[in-house]
Structure formats: structure tokens, C-alpha cells
Amino acid sequence: IRDRLREIYISHAIRRFAVAMICIFEPIYLFLYFQKRIWPIFVYFGIVSLMYGLLVPLGAKLMTKIGLKKAMIWSVPIQFFYYLALWQISSSFFILLGAIILRILFAVFYWPAYHTDIARFSKKELRGEQIGISSIIYNLASVVGPIIGGFLVFKLGFSILFTIVLIILLLSIIPLLFSGEIHEVYYDSYKQAFQKIVSKRRIKDTLAFASFGIDVGISMFVWPVFLFILAINYETIGIVTSFSLFLNLIFIFCIGRIVDQADRKRLLSIGSTFTAFAWFLKSLVKGPLDAFLVYTFYRFASTSSDIPFRTIMYDEASRDPEGIDRFIVFREMSHNLGRAIIFFLLAVAFMFLPETKLYLTFLLAGGFALFFMLLGHREIKKSKTL
């Protein structure tokens, strides 16, 4: 089990390092492509979230057919070609469409398999610590990434950055080649999968996952553009992101240990409240120093909600050893469909609002952060039937 988790963590860390170099600049790159308009970015990522949310059951069926490890391995070349297409989107509108399709396919192959693997091989009594360790590994990979990415974009341009990212992505396959294949069998039909996300018994979990998806989406795709609009250059954006992540590393490990020893739902409630407040502070940012201080606080706050949230999620998934993948599909559908709805609404709003009002989306994210604490709030005896 430890070897399996180590393999996943190392592979994901290598991939995370590659993606960390570019992901914070991806929405800025698209912002420039769309002539400094934010609403097309909401449409772009809204379409990705919508289609992935609808196709998650297909990803689970695919995972059943080819296995967890092969699904993750096949996602790497898909992600490779996504960034290659993104690099060339200015050449043709059809390449932009191709990039959207590739991003959806990557998610379909990778995320159901990844989350199912973690839920299957992490131990409940150590799950908080294990997730904390994985977060430290990922954050270590992410600390250097934005600085290097910012330097490369600032000094050499996006072309060099894309080239390096593509090479590192291919290297992330290597750790996945050293263990046997695991097959999960996903039994639900499309109808059953969709019924779960609207069922009365699951509605609190649905709202929690949808809210988490909105939080992650605004943090990943809106916050970098907001910093860019404030005229903070690429290098500074990378440094702000990296140092905030670095300061958060020790806190991550402490939270992981605490989660295994304390009431996870209570910790999640506290973390959700802090995350909501951090989003409010984000809306007040005016310059680089503000951005560094507030983003550092946000990383601490989001860690205090993220680790208990993910721990509870994997606890819930592992309650039914024969149906782990069903809960993961439910999670991914709720997470992405909720984000898609909000992103499409924001797209309409920002057809009329100026980009300088982007801080309003942070207040929205803060409101949704309070819904994190709904996760797992139902009777345990009902959790056996997903």
C-alpha cells in the first residue's frame, strides 16, 4: 500500500511541478488571447467543467476497462497535447476547440482514477496525515514551479515555458510503471449517476462538493487574472505564489496530524469559516505586498479546510469498499457541474461589468466556502447505499 501511494505521490508531484510552472499563467495567457476580456475565460472553463461533469461516468467506465494506472498514464500524453494546442491557439479557432476537448479528455482519464486510487490505498486511521504528506509533496513541487515559470515568461516568453512543461509532463509517467494494475468495477448507469447528485439524501454533499469546485475554480482561473489587472508582472506573480506556498508547508503537516486525532467535521467547520474570511480579504488587495500577505493567509485558511475536507471525502468513499468509484464519480460530477453553472452566470455578468470588478467573485467564493462544512452531514447507516 505504501509503495502504491508513494508511486502516485511522486508521479503527481512531477506533474504538479510541470503544471505549477504554467497553471497560474494559463488564465492570463487566455485573458490576453481573448483581448483582455474576462467573460470568455468563464465560458472556456465553464464548458470544460460542464462537459467533464457530464462525462465523469464515462471516465469511470473507462477506468473499469483499462485499469486505474493505465488511465492515469494515458492522461499524460493527452495533457501534453492540450498544452501544445494551447501554445498554438492563436493560429486557428479550431485549435482552441481542440484544446478544450483535450482538457476535458485529460480530466476524464485522470481525476476519477487518481481519487479512486487514493481512496482505495489510504488508511482511515492515518488518512489525515497521509493527505497532509501528499499536500506537502505537491506544495514542494509547486513552490519552485511558479518562480521558474514567471522567470521564463518574463525573460524568454511563453514558448520556452510550454516546451519545458511538455518535457516534464512526459517524465511523470515513469513512477507509474513500477507496480501492478488495479481494476475497479463501476456498475452505475448514467441515470443512476445523475440521480445521486440531485437526491435529497445526498444534497448536502452535492452542495459541499459544488462549493469546493467553485472555490478552486475562482482561485485557479480568476485570482491570477486579478493580479495581472493590478499590473503585477509575471515574475512577481510567480514569487507571490511560491513564497505563500512555502510558508504553508509546515502548517500542512500539522493540520494533517490534527485531523487524525480530532473531530474532522469540527475542524472543517472552522477551516471553512477562515477560508470565507480569507476570500473577503482577497477582495481588498491593491498591490504586490497586499497580494503576498493575503494569499499567504488564504493558503493557511484553505489548508485548514482542504485537508479535513479531502479526508472526510475519502472516508465517505471508502465506507463501501465495493463502491469507492461510485462516490468519486458523484464527487466529480457535483464539483464540476456546480462550478460550470456559476461560471456561466459570471460570464453573463461580466459581459456588462468591467474587469476591475473581479473582486466581486472573491466575495462569491467566500460565501460558497461556508458550504464546505456540509460534507458528510448525514446518517452513517445510509452511507452504505451510494
Side-chain angles (χ1 to χ4, degrees), residues 40-57:
I41 292 179
F42 285 121
V43 173
Y44 180 94
F45 289 112
I47 291 172
V48 170
S49 296
L50 174 65
M51 294 309 299
Y52 171 48
L54 294 175
L55 293 174
V56 174

PDB file of all heavy atoms in Angstrom, residues 40-57:
ATOM      1  N   PRO A  40     -15.026  35.598 -21.627  1.00  0.00           N
ATOM      2  CA  PRO A  40     -14.727  34.381 -22.403  1.00  0.00           C
ATOM      3  C   PRO A  40     -13.972  33.328 -21.594  1.00  0.00           C
ATOM      4  O   PRO A  40     -14.088  32.128 -21.876  1.00  0.00           O
ATOM      5  CB  PRO A  40     -13.872  34.899 -23.568  1.00  0.00           C
ATOM      6  CG  PRO A  40     -14.183  36.361 -23.674  1.00  0.00           C
ATOM      7  CD  PRO A  40     -14.409  36.783 -22.258  1.00  0.00           C
ATOM      8  N   ILE A  41     -13.198  33.761 -20.577  1.00  0.00           N
ATOM      9  CA  ILE A  41     -12.481  32.796 -19.743  1.00  0.00           C
ATOM     10  C   ILE A  41     -13.470  32.002 -18.902  1.00  0.00           C
ATOM     11  O   ILE A  41     -13.332  30.780 -18.721  1.00  0.00           O
ATOM     12  CB  ILE A  41     -11.454  33.515 -18.851  1.00  0.00           C
ATOM     13  CG1 ILE A  41     -10.343  34.095 -19.734  1.00  0.00           C
ATOM     14  CG2 ILE A  41     -10.867  32.573 -17.803  1.00  0.00           C
ATOM     15  CD1 ILE A  41      -9.283  34.856 -18.979  1.00  0.00           C
ATOM     16  N   PHE A  42     -14.503  32.683 -18.395  1.00  0.00           N
ATOM     17  CA  PHE A  42     -15.550  31.972 -17.658  1.00  0.00           C
ATOM     18  C   PHE A  42     -16.268  30.973 -18.569  1.00  0.00           C
ATOM     19  O   PHE A  42     -16.596  29.856 -18.151  1.00  0.00           O
ATOM     20  CB  PHE A  42     -16.559  32.959 -17.068  1.00  0.00           C
ATOM     21  CG  PHE A  42     -16.060  33.698 -15.859  1.00  0.00           C
ATOM     22  CD1 PHE A  42     -15.999  35.084 -15.852  1.00  0.00           C
ATOM     23  CD2 PHE A  42     -15.648  33.008 -14.730  1.00  0.00           C
ATOM     24  CE1 PHE A  42     -15.545  35.772 -14.732  1.00  0.00           C
ATOM     25  CE2 PHE A  42     -15.185  33.686 -13.606  1.00  0.00           C
ATOM     26  CZ  PHE A  42     -15.136  35.073 -13.612  1.00  0.00           C
ATOM     27  N   VAL A  43     -16.492  31.357 -19.820  1.00  0.00           N
ATOM     28  CA  VAL A  43     -17.129  30.440 -20.772  1.00  0.00           C
ATOM     29  C   VAL A  43     -16.214  29.251 -21.052  1.00  0.00           C
ATOM     30  O   VAL A  43     -16.660  28.089 -21.052  1.00  0.00           O
ATOM     31  CB  VAL A  43     -17.476  31.170 -22.094  1.00  0.00           C
ATOM     32  CG1 VAL A  43     -17.969  30.169 -23.135  1.00  0.00           C
ATOM     33  CG2 VAL A  43     -18.524  32.242 -21.851  1.00  0.00           C
ATOM     34  N   TYR A  44     -14.926  29.523 -21.271  1.00  0.00           N
ATOM     35  CA  TYR A  44     -13.935  28.487 -21.587  1.00  0.00           C
ATOM     36  C   TYR A  44     -13.894  27.419 -20.489  1.00  0.00           C
ATOM     37  O   TYR A  44     -14.086  26.217 -20.748  1.00  0.00           O
ATOM     38  CB  TYR A  44     -12.563  29.152 -21.740  1.00  0.00           C
ATOM     39  CG  TYR A  44     -11.417  28.224 -22.070  1.00  0.00           C
ATOM     40  CD1 TYR A  44     -11.038  28.004 -23.398  1.00  0.00           C
ATOM     41  CD2 TYR A  44     -10.679  27.595 -21.070  1.00  0.00           C
ATOM     42  CE1 TYR A  44      -9.968  27.172 -23.705  1.00  0.00           C
ATOM     43  CE2 TYR A  44      -9.613  26.760 -21.369  1.00  0.00           C
ATOM     44  CZ  TYR A  44      -9.264  26.551 -22.690  1.00  0.00           C
ATOM     45  OH  TYR A  44      -8.213  25.719 -22.989  1.00  0.00           O
ATOM     46  N   PHE A  45     -13.661  27.862 -19.254  1.00  0.00           N
ATOM     47  CA  PHE A  45     -13.556  26.900 -18.156  1.00  0.00           C
ATOM     48  C   PHE A  45     -14.929  26.383 -17.728  1.00  0.00           C
ATOM     49  O   PHE A  45     -15.025  25.283 -17.155  1.00  0.00           O
ATOM     50  CB  PHE A  45     -12.805  27.519 -16.984  1.00  0.00           C
ATOM     51  CG  PHE A  45     -11.338  27.711 -17.256  1.00  0.00           C
ATOM     52  CD1 PHE A  45     -10.794  28.983 -17.373  1.00  0.00           C
ATOM     53  CD2 PHE A  45     -10.502  26.620 -17.412  1.00  0.00           C
ATOM     54  CE1 PHE A  45      -9.443  29.162 -17.638  1.00  0.00           C
ATOM     55  CE2 PHE A  45      -9.141  26.776 -17.674  1.00  0.00           C
ATOM     56  CZ  PHE A  45      -8.613  28.058 -17.793  1.00  0.00           C
ATOM     57  N   GLY A  46     -15.979  27.144 -18.014  1.00  0.00           N
ATOM     58  CA  GLY A  46     -17.331  26.655 -17.758  1.00  0.00           C
ATOM     59  C   GLY A  46     -17.667  25.476 -18.657  1.00  0.00           C
ATOM     60  O   GLY A  46     -18.256  24.487 -18.212  1.00  0.00           O
ATOM     61  N   ILE A  47     -17.281  25.568 -19.924  1.00  0.00           N
ATOM     62  CA  ILE A  47     -17.515  24.464 -20.871  1.00  0.00           C
ATOM     63  C   ILE A  47     -16.728  23.229 -20.446  1.00  0.00           C
ATOM     64  O   ILE A  47     -17.248  22.105 -20.451  1.00  0.00           O
ATOM     65  CB  ILE A  47     -17.124  24.878 -22.301  1.00  0.00           C
ATOM     66  CG1 ILE A  47     -18.103  25.931 -22.845  1.00  0.00           C
ATOM     67  CG2 ILE A  47     -17.100  23.666 -23.234  1.00  0.00           C
ATOM     68  CD1 ILE A  47     -17.687  26.532 -24.163  1.00  0.00           C
ATOM     69  N   VAL A  48     -15.457  23.437 -20.072  1.00  0.00           N
ATOM     70  CA  VAL A  48     -14.621  22.316 -19.624  1.00  0.00           C
ATOM     71  C   VAL A  48     -15.256  21.627 -18.417  1.00  0.00           C
ATOM     72  O   VAL A  48     -15.381  20.396 -18.372  1.00  0.00           O
ATOM     73  CB  VAL A  48     -13.195  22.804 -19.282  1.00  0.00           C
ATOM     74  CG1 VAL A  48     -12.404  21.685 -18.591  1.00  0.00           C
ATOM     75  CG2 VAL A  48     -12.462  23.255 -20.538  1.00  0.00           C
ATOM     76  N   SER A  49     -15.686  22.427 -17.438  1.00  0.00           N
ATOM     77  CA  SER A  49     -16.288  21.858 -16.222  1.00  0.00           C
ATOM     78  C   SER A  49     -17.602  21.154 -16.528  1.00  0.00           C
ATOM     79  O   SER A  49     -17.871  20.064 -16.003  1.00  0.00           O
ATOM     80  CB  SER A  49     -16.515  22.971 -15.191  1.00  0.00           C
ATOM     81  OG  SER A  49     -15.291  23.541 -14.778  1.00  0.00           O
ATOM     82  N   LEU A  50     -18.420  21.763 -17.375  1.00  0.00           N
ATOM     83  CA  LEU A  50     -19.716  21.166 -17.725  1.00  0.00           C
ATOM     84  C   LEU A  50     -19.543  19.822 -18.412  1.00  0.00           C
ATOM     85  O   LEU A  50     -20.157  18.815 -18.010  1.00  0.00           O
ATOM     86  CB  LEU A  50     -20.504  22.118 -18.633  1.00  0.00           C
ATOM     87  CG  LEU A  50     -21.819  21.567 -19.199  1.00  0.00           C
ATOM     88  CD1 LEU A  50     -22.823  21.310 -18.080  1.00  0.00           C
ATOM     89  CD2 LEU A  50     -22.397  22.518 -20.248  1.00  0.00           C
ATOM     90  N   MET A  51     -18.697  19.788 -19.427  1.00  0.00           N
ATOM     91  CA  MET A  51     -18.540  18.560 -20.205  1.00  0.00           C
ATOM     92  C   MET A  51     -17.863  17.465 -19.383  1.00  0.00           C
ATOM     93  O   MET A  51     -18.235  16.298 -19.474  1.00  0.00           O
ATOM     94  CB  MET A  51     -17.748  18.840 -21.483  1.00  0.00           C
ATOM     95  CG  MET A  51     -18.462  19.747 -22.475  1.00  0.00           C
ATOM     96  SD  MET A  51     -20.158  19.190 -22.835  1.00  0.00           S
ATOM     97  CE  MET A  51     -19.857  17.566 -23.525  1.00  0.00           C
ATOM     98  N   TYR A  52     -16.877  17.851 -18.573  1.00  0.00           N
ATOM     99  CA  TYR A  52     -16.252  16.843 -17.720  1.00  0.00           C
ATOM    100  C   TYR A  52     -17.262  16.321 -16.704  1.00  0.00           C
ATOM    101  O   TYR A  52     -17.353  15.110 -16.467  1.00  0.00           O
ATOM    102  CB  TYR A  52     -15.029  17.419 -17.014  1.00  0.00           C
ATOM    103  CG  TYR A  52     -14.459  16.494 -15.957  1.00  0.00           C
ATOM    104  CD1 TYR A  52     -14.228  15.144 -16.240  1.00  0.00           C
ATOM    105  CD2 TYR A  52     -14.177  16.951 -14.673  1.00  0.00           C
ATOM    106  CE1 TYR A  52     -13.717  14.285 -15.277  1.00  0.00           C
ATOM    107  CE2 TYR A  52     -13.663  16.094 -13.710  1.00  0.00           C
ATOM    108  CZ  TYR A  52     -13.446  14.766 -14.017  1.00  0.00           C
ATOM    109  OH  TYR A  52     -12.952  13.914 -13.060  1.00  0.00           O
ATOM    110  N   GLY A  53     -18.037  17.227 -16.105  1.00  0.00           N
ATOM    111  CA  GLY A  53     -19.056  16.804 -15.151  1.00  0.00           C
ATOM    112  C   GLY A  53     -20.044  15.825 -15.743  1.00  0.00           C
ATOM    113  O   GLY A  53     -20.477  14.876 -15.084  1.00  0.00           O
ATOM    114  N   LEU A  54     -20.396  16.023 -17.008  1.00  0.00           N
ATOM    115  CA  LEU A  54     -21.334  15.132 -17.683  1.00  0.00           C
ATOM    116  C   LEU A  54     -20.695  13.810 -18.097  1.00  0.00           C
ATOM    117  O   LEU A  54     -21.369  12.790 -18.206  1.00  0.00           O
ATOM    118  CB  LEU A  54     -21.918  15.818 -18.929  1.00  0.00           C
ATOM    119  CG  LEU A  54     -22.806  17.049 -18.671  1.00  0.00           C
ATOM    120  CD1 LEU A  54     -23.207  17.691 -20.005  1.00  0.00           C
ATOM    121  CD2 LEU A  54     -24.045  16.683 -17.864  1.00  0.00           C
ATOM    122  N   LEU A  55     -19.372  13.852 -18.319  1.00  0.00           N
ATOM    123  CA  LEU A  55     -18.681  12.665 -18.848  1.00  0.00           C
ATOM    124  C   LEU A  55     -17.939  11.852 -17.782  1.00  0.00           C
ATOM    125  O   LEU A  55     -17.306  10.847 -18.108  1.00  0.00           O
ATOM    126  CB  LEU A  55     -17.682  13.093 -19.936  1.00  0.00           C
ATOM    127  CG  LEU A  55     -18.293  13.670 -21.218  1.00  0.00           C
ATOM    128  CD1 LEU A  55     -17.189  14.177 -22.150  1.00  0.00           C
ATOM    129  CD2 LEU A  55     -19.144  12.626 -21.933  1.00  0.00           C
ATOM    130  N   VAL A  56     -18.009  12.272 -16.522  1.00  0.00           N
ATOM    131  CA  VAL A  56     -17.317  11.526 -15.462  1.00  0.00           C
ATOM    132  C   VAL A  56     -17.713  10.048 -15.442  1.00  0.00           C
ATOM    133  O   VAL A  56     -16.844   9.169 -15.313  1.00  0.00           O
ATOM    134  CB  VAL A  56     -17.578  12.155 -14.076  1.00  0.00           C
ATOM    135  CG1 VAL A  56     -16.974  11.275 -12.982  1.00  0.00           C
ATOM    136  CG2 VAL A  56     -16.977  13.534 -13.999  1.00  0.00           C
ATOM    137  N   PRO A  57     -19.013   9.703 -15.569  1.00  0.00           N
ATOM    138  CA  PRO A  57     -19.347   8.267 -15.599  1.00  0.00           C
ATOM    139  C   PRO A  57     -18.630   7.523 -16.715  1.00  0.00           C
ATOM    140  O   PRO A  57     -18.259   6.354 -16.548  1.00  0.00           O
ATOM    141  CB  PRO A  57     -20.867   8.262 -15.808  1.00  0.00           C
ATOM    142  CG  PRO A  57     -21.326   9.571 -15.248  1.00  0.00           C
ATOM    143  CD  PRO A  57     -20.241  10.537 -15.599  1.00  0.00           C
TER     144      PRO A  57
END
